[in-house]
Amino acid sequence: MNKGELVDKVSEKASVTKKQADAVLSAALEAIMEAVSEGDKVTLVGFGSFESRERKAREGRNPKTGEKMEIPATKVPAFSAGKLFKERVAPPKDE
């Protein structure tokens, strides 16, 4: 599903126009990206959490030459799915 298809689904479920759904979805995504880039954690109960994580410096290899190189430390965005989301994707098996 791409953003356009998501906008269509949201407009259907929320009974709003596609233009309104697009504006709200874009604003929500922008707010999440802004908060995470500033170091905040965004938690949507039942859905999941977005946060910034530190990636340590490490040694890698140049794929062309095979020579070793240092990959610097960096920050990366991360998403952790919430319990409800995980259960929707993979319902617990009855024992």
Side-chain angles (χ1 to χ4, degrees), residues 6 12 27-29 37 44 57 73 77-78 90:
L6 182 57
E12 267 179 45
L29 294 175
S37 70
L44 304 171

Side-chain angles (χ1 to χ4, degrees), residues 4-93:
E5 293 166 336
L6 182 57
V7 166
D8 291 346
K9 247 333 180 200
V10 170
S11 87
E12 267 179 45
K13 288 188 176 270
S15 301
V16 296
T17 67
K18 289 181 184 180
K19 191 173 183 178
Q20 290 169 322
D22 184 39
V24 170
L25 182 61
S26 294
L29 294 175
E30 183 61 36
I32 291 169
M33 289 190 290
E34 199 172 281
V36 172
S37 70
E38 292 170 0
D40 293 336
K41 182 175 182 176
V42 178
T43 303
L44 304 171
V45 177
F47 181 72
S49 301
F50 298 89
E51 64 185 328
S52 175
R53 292 191 186 147
E54 296 284 335
R55 185 176 285 167
K56 294 179 184 174
R58 62 195 192 281
E59 191 177 90
R61 291 194 178 272
N62 181 328
K64 281 187 178 178
T65 64
E67 77 181 60
K68 291 182 181 181
M69 57 187 277
E70 185 68 19
I71 300 171
T74 187
K75 286 185 177 184
V76 293
F79 173 75
S80 300
K83 183 181 177 194
L84 193 67
F85 192 0
K86 287 179 185 176
E87 288 174 355
R88 285 291 269 302
V89 173
K93 303 222 186 311

